[in-house]
Amino acid sequence: MEPLVEVEGLTKRFPIHRGLLQRTVGHVHAVEDVTFSIRRGETLGLVGESGCGKSTTARLILKLLEATEGTIRFEGRDITRLSAREMRPLRRELQMVFQDPYSSLNPRQTVGQIVGTPFAIHGIEGSTRSKVQDLMERVGLNPEHYNRYPHEFSGGQRQRIGVARALALSPKLIVCDEPVSALDVSIQAQILNLLLSLQHDFALTYLFISHDLGVVRHVSDRIAVMYLGRIVEIGDAGDVYGVPKHPYTAALLSAVPTGEAGGEMKRERIILSGDVPSPVDPPPGCAFHPRCPKARLVTGSPDEVPENCRTEIPPLRNSGGRQQAACWYPLRPDDELQRVVSHEPRGS
Amino acid sequence: MPDGEVLLDVSGLSVRFPTSDGVVNAVDDLSFQVRRGETFGIVGESGSGKSVTNLALLGLLNRRAANIEGTALFKGRDLLTMPPGELRRIRGKEIAMIFQDPFACLHPMYRVGDQLVEAIRAHERVPRRQAAERAIEVLAAVGIPKPRERFRDYPHQYSGGMRQRAMIAMALLLNPDVLIADEPTTALDVTVQAQILELIDRVKKEFDIAVVLITHDLGVVAEVAQTVMVMYAGRAMEQGPRQQVFGKPLHPYTWGLLESIPHVDQKVSRLVPIEGAPPSLIFVPPGCPFHPRCPHRFGPCDQKRPEFRDRGGGHAEACHLSADEKRTLWAERQERFTRAAV
C-alpha cells in the first residue's frame, strides 16, 4: 500500500537578516535533508529536544511553511509547490491539534462557532449544529455546552474542543504537536486515550510530536528521533526504544527519570556534556559529534573523536537492527551504552 | 527514614486567599518535616498547593492578601511569625531557593558575576574582590566551564542549562542549610534535566544540606527524593519514604497518578486515566477532596474528612479505606495493569 505522506530531502533554512540593508548574514538550519514516510493508519512519533526541528517539520508538511528544498507527497501527489489556493481543497485532509489549548481557541467564539467554522469554510451542506454536537459527544464533551465559551472549560476539555475541530472534516492526517504537554498528568491520559480511540474508529493517521518520550512510546507505531534538524534514527517503536542504534537515542532514553534509581541517582546513565549547539552554525560532519559518548569510546580518549564523525555527515541507513540510524559507529547489542537503556520489561 | 537533624518542621500550615468569588483554600492543614541530608519531594498537579506552600515558608506571600495559619519552624524559629527583617536574613542565606524559569531569575542587563557578588554582599560584609573569588569558586563547583571568563558574561550568553547552574551557584554562595527547588528542571530539555538533577544531588551531599524539591513530574521525584509527599487540592494525600510511596502506594489518588503515566520502558495497551478534573479550590469537595474522582469511594468519603495518619514506618496517608481493603484493591489494579502490558 502506498504511504499517505512521503517526505524526501526536506530542508528548511530561515535567513537571518542584519543591519540597515537587512542583508542575509546566515541561516538557521531548522530542518536538513529529512526523509521519511507515514503509512496509512499508523502513528509516526517525532521526538527530540527543543529546537531540533520537529515542529518545523510538521509545519512544512502542512504547508504552513514553504520548504527550502525537498519534496512532500500526499497520497502520491507532489504538494511541495502548491499555492495557497491550490492547497485549499487539500486542507480538509490535513488537520492539526496544537499544544496550547488556551491560545489556540478564539476566546470570543463559542464552541459551536469554533468547531463549526470548518464546515462553513468548506461550504458543507446540512445542519452544522447537529454535526458539531455529534462531534462534541464523540470527543467526550457535553453537547449541551454548544453555546459556551472556551474560558468556561478546563484545560483538558479545551483540548477536546481542539480535537473536535481537527476532526470536523474527517481528515486523513492529523498532526498533533505536543497535544498533552500543557495538561496535568491525570488529564494527559484521558486525551491520549481519546486520540487512540478516534484513530481506531476513523482510521486516522497521526504525526505525533512530543518531547515526552513516554507519551510518544505509548501512542506511536514508528518513531523518528531528531537532533539539530536531522533524523538520527527511525524505526518501529519497540526497536528504537528497546535496542537504540544511535548514541543520541540511547542518551535521550537514559536521561528520562523513571524512579528506578531508588532515590539515590545510582542508575547507570549517559549524561551528555554541554548543550545542543546552535542551528545557525551546526557542527560539521555528524552534528552530534561534540557531545557523542560513543565517538569517544571509539577513540578511547575523552577529547578525541574519529575523523569521519567530524568531517562526513553519516547517512541514515540500516545497521544491524531493523531500524535505520545515521551514525558511523552505531551501537551494537553488547555495547555498554545500549545496555544502560535496555531494561527488562517490568511487572512480568 | 533519614536520620539527620530536623531543619524544617511544618505543622498545620494553611493558606487561604479571600477573593471576591470566595475563599481560595490553597493549602489546607499541611504538616511535614525535612531533615538534613535528605531530598524531600513534593509532587502534585497544578493547583495542588505545592508552590504556595513554598512561598508561604519563604514569607513571599503578601500577608495582607493571604491568611496563613500554622507554624513552620526552621531550627526552632517560626518562619511564619518572624519579623520581615529577621526573615530577610535567613532567606537567601540559610534557606536558599531556585525557581522554574532561569531566564526570569537573572537580570538580563547585569553580568552574571556581578549578580552573584551582590547576593553575597547583601548578607555579608566582604570586600568585592573576595566575594568575586568565592563566586568563581562556586561557579566552578556547579560545573560552569571556564568560570573566570564566564563570570564576566551576561545571562543571554549562557544556555538554559548553564543559567540554571548559575542559579544553583547563587543559592549555594552563602552555605545554606536548606535549598528549596521549585520545578527546577521543568523548563529544561531532558538531557539537560538529567545534568541538573545530578548536580542538585551532588551539592546536597557535598554541602550536606536538605533539599525540598517541588515538581509535577513523578519520575523526577522518584529518581532523586528520599521522602515524598503527594498533594491534591491543597492537602497531603500520602507521604512517606520513596520506596513505600512508589512501591506500595496506599492512596487511590497516588494509584491513579501512577497508572496514568506512560513509561519509556514499557508499553501498555491502554492508560488508565483519572476521570474528571481537579476541583476548584474555592469549592473543595466536602469530606475527602478526591472522592468525586475516586473509583473506590464509599459511605463516609463525601461526608467525613479522612485523617492524615501514619500507617507505620513513616508512611502516612488520608483515606477512609482500611489497610486490608487497600491491599486487595491495589493488588487487583496491579494485576489489571500487568495484563494490559504488551
Side-chain angles (χ1 to χ4, degrees):
Chain A
M1 198 165 58
E2 64 161 1
L4 185 69
V5 179
E6 287 166 283
V7 167
E8 216 180 301
L10 194 64
T11 299
K12 178 69 186 177
R13 299 189 192 104
F14 295 100
I16 303 168
H17 302 292
R18 277 275 151 74
L20 188 64
L21 298 173
Q22 291 292 296
R23 262 196 269 266
T24 304
V25 293
H27 287 92
V28 177
H29 300 253
V31 174
E32 280 288 329
D33 195 16
V34 161
T35 300
F36 64 83
S37 59
I38 312 174
R39 300 174 198 142
R40 277 172 208 275
E42 79 167 354
T43 300
L44 177 71
L46 212 51
V47 290
E49 300 178 273
S50 45
C52 73
K54 49 192 196 304
S55 289
T56 306
T57 305
R59 286 179 158 74
L60 288 170
I61 291 175
L62 292 177
K63 300 245 321 137
L64 299 175
L65 287 173
E66 199 64 24
T68 312
E69 279 166 36
T71 56
I72 306 155
R73 271 192 292 277
F74 181 73
E75 298 194 294
R77 177 176 172 208
D78 188 346
I79 62 166
T80 325
R81 301 288 159 210
L82 292 191
S83 66
R85 180 191 295 270
E86 290 167 317
M87 265 310 283
R88 201 158 299 149
L90 270 173
R91 292 267 170 234
R92 293 183 60 166
E93 320 276 357
L94 306 164
Q95 290 292 329
M96 185 157 182
V97 175
F98 297 90
Q99 169 171 4
D100 185 352
Y102 294 84
S103 62
S104 62
L105 301 176
N106 187 340
R108 293 171 185 274
Q109 290 191 335
T110 63
V111 181
Q113 289 171 312
I114 291 170
V115 182
T117 303
F119 295 110
I121 289 176
H122 287 271
I124 310 260
E125 305 278 310
S127 158
T128 303
R129 189 184 175 108
S130 69
K131 285 200 190 99
V132 170
Q133 290 188 325
D134 285 348
L135 280 166
M136 288 176 71
E137 187 145 21
R138 184 60 196 83
V139 298
L141 292 168
N142 185 344
E144 284 166 24
H145 296 165
Y146 185 84
N147 282 320
R148 291 204 182 175
Y149 288 90
H151 74 261
E152 296 175 79
F153 294 91
S154 69
Q157 287 174 316
R158 282 161 187 248
Q159 200 55 302
R160 289 176 196 268
I161 300 173
V163 173
R165 175 177 61 185
L167 210 59
L169 299 168
S170 331
K172 293 195 171 109
L173 176 75
I174 297 185
V175 173
C176 306
D177 191 355
E178 303 269 10
V180 296
S181 310
L183 306 175
D184 270 320
V185 282
S186 73
I187 309 296
Q188 283 192 1
Q190 296 175 5
I191 299 295
L192 292 176
N193 281 346
L194 172 68
L195 288 171
L196 288 177
S197 89
L198 292 173
Q199 177 170 45
H200 180 259
D201 294 354
F202 297 99
L204 295 169
T205 307
Y206 289 140
L207 177 62
F208 193 97
I209 298 169
S210 180
H211 69 278
D212 186 324
L213 294 140
V215 166
V216 168
R217 168 82 197 256
H218 180 68
V219 298
S220 304
D221 302 300
R222 289 192 308 135
I223 289 172
V225 183
M226 288 187 76
Y227 186 77
L228 266 186
R230 290 173 190 274
I231 290 183
V232 294
E233 183 157 2
I234 184 168
D236 285 346
D239 295 334
V240 172
Y241 274 43
V243 278
K245 289 285 167 199
H246 198 285
Y248 178 65
T249 314
L252 201 59
L253 289 170
S254 85
V256 178
T258 58
E260 273 164 29
E264 289 295 328
M265 300 282 298
K266 265 192 203 135
R267 186 161 63 101
E268 276 188 273
R269 168 184 270 177
I270 312 163
I271 299 266
L272 292 180
S273 54
D275 290 285
V276 182
S278 156
V280 176
D281 187 18
C286 170
F288 187 55
H289 85 257
R291 302 173 77 195
C292 184
K294 171 77 185 188
R296 282 156 184 81
L297 282 179
V298 171
T299 59
S301 148
D303 307 316
E304 267 179 78
V305 297
E307 203 193 331
N308 48 354
C309 291
R310 278 183 285 118
T311 53
E312 287 172 77
I313 296 172
L316 201 57
R317 57 181 177 168
N318 224 302
S319 44
R322 274 172 292 186
Q323 72 265 46
Q324 294 181 305
C327 181
W328 293 118
Y329 303 96
L331 305 183
R332 292 184 310 270
D334 57 339
D335 228 298
E336 209 181 307
L337 294 174
Q338 200 174 57
R339 267 209 316 276
V340 174
V341 286
S342 38
H343 315 248
E344 290 296 307
R346 277 182 297 166
S348 55
Chain B
M1 266 306 211
D3 43 12
E5 73 181 288
V6 174
L7 288 174
L8 258 183
D9 188 353
V10 177
S11 147
L13 177 70
S14 293
V15 182
R16 295 190 178 81
F17 300 97
T19 69
S20 53
D21 293 330
V23 179
V24 176
N25 296 286
V27 176
D28 194 344
D29 196 15
L30 206 62
S31 300
F32 60 92
Q33 293 184 332
V34 182
R35 290 163 190 271
R36 190 183 288 282
E38 79 168 333
T39 299
F40 185 87
I42 303 180
V43 64
E45 301 180 85
S46 42
S48 62
K50 51 194 195 309
S51 289
V52 173
T53 305
N54 161 32
L55 296 176
L57 294 183
L58 295 167
L60 294 177
L61 290 177
N62 184 342
R63 287 190 198 185
R64 253 167 290 166
N67 223 322
I68 306 173
E69 281 167 34
T71 56
L73 301 181
F74 170 69
K75 293 178 168 175
R77 290 168 291 173
D78 189 0
L79 294 169
L80 301 180
T81 51
M82 199 175 274
E86 200 180 328
L87 187 60
R88 204 175 302 129
R89 282 194 290 278
I90 291 181
R91 187 172 56 208
K93 181 168 168 31
E94 294 178 66
I95 303 181
M97 56 230 147
I98 48 178
F99 295 98
Q100 172 172 354
D101 189 355
F103 298 81
C105 290
L106 288 165
H107 196 296
M109 298 180 72
Y110 290 90
R111 295 175 199 276
V112 173
D114 292 342
Q115 299 186 48
L116 294 172
V117 167
E118 185 197 0
I120 297 177
R121 285 166 48 103
H123 287 281
E124 289 175 21
R125 296 174 64 116
V126 285
R128 184 168 285 278
R129 187 178 301 272
Q130 203 182 323
E133 281 309 312
R134 199 197 304 172
I136 290 167
E137 240 172 71
V138 179
L139 280 179
V142 298
I144 301 256
K146 300 187 195 147
R148 206 162 283 276
E149 290 155 42
R150 287 306 200 155
F151 181 80
R152 296 187 53 75
D153 278 354
Y154 288 93
H156 74 89
Q157 291 166 289
Y158 279 41
S159 68
M162 281 172 63
R163 272 179 246 200
Q164 198 57 293
R165 283 175 196 271
M167 288 311 301
I168 294 173
M170 193 182 284
L172 294 174
L173 283 172
L174 297 153
N175 285 319
D177 292 304
V178 178
L179 174 66
I180 298 183
D182 191 350
E183 303 270 11
T185 59
T186 308
L188 305 174
D189 276 319
V190 53
T191 57
V192 180
Q193 163 171 296
Q195 296 169 5
I196 297 296
L197 289 177
E198 187 115 322
L199 173 64
I200 292 177
D201 198 60
R202 187 162 59 78
V203 301
K204 184 194 79 184
K205 289 182 184 129
E206 275 173 23
F207 290 74
D208 192 26
I209 57 177
V211 175
V212 179
L213 181 79
I214 298 168
T215 176
H216 70 282
D217 190 329
L218 283 167
V220 168
V221 189
E223 194 91 16
V224 298
Q226 283 81 54
T227 312
V228 180
M229 178 162 79
V230 182
M231 286 187 73
Y232 183 78
R235 300 187 199 169
M237 293 279 118
E238 180 160 4
Q239 185 191 320
R242 188 208 76 94
Q243 298 86 337
Q244 296 288 318
V245 174
F246 288 100
K248 292 182 188 123
L250 292 176
H251 199 284
Y253 175 61
T254 316
W255 299 346
L257 279 183
L258 291 172
E259 285 171 358
S260 59
I261 296 166
H263 288 276
V264 204
D265 49 358
Q266 184 183 38
K267 189 171 158 74
V268 294
S269 52
R270 202 181 140 79
L271 296 171
V272 188
I274 304 176
E275 295 304 331
S280 147
L281 294 175
I282 296 178
F283 305 104
V284 179
C288 169
F290 185 59
H291 85 260
R293 306 175 73 190
C294 181
H296 309 300
R297 63 174 172 264
F298 66 112
C301 293
D302 58 349
Q303 321 253 324
K304 194 164 152 266
R305 178 167 171 172
E307 201 189 336
F308 188 72
R309 275 193 300 143
D310 195 328
R311 317 276 157 165
H315 191 178
E317 49 105 29
C319 178
H320 286 302
L321 290 168
S322 75
D324 281 344
E325 286 170 311
K326 276 199 239 268
R327 214 170 301 124
T328 323
L329 285 170
W330 175 236
E332 275 173 25
R333 287 178 75 142
Q334 274 199 312
E335 164 87 36
R336 215 179 329 141
F337 193 73
T338 315
R339 256 187 283 127
V342 286

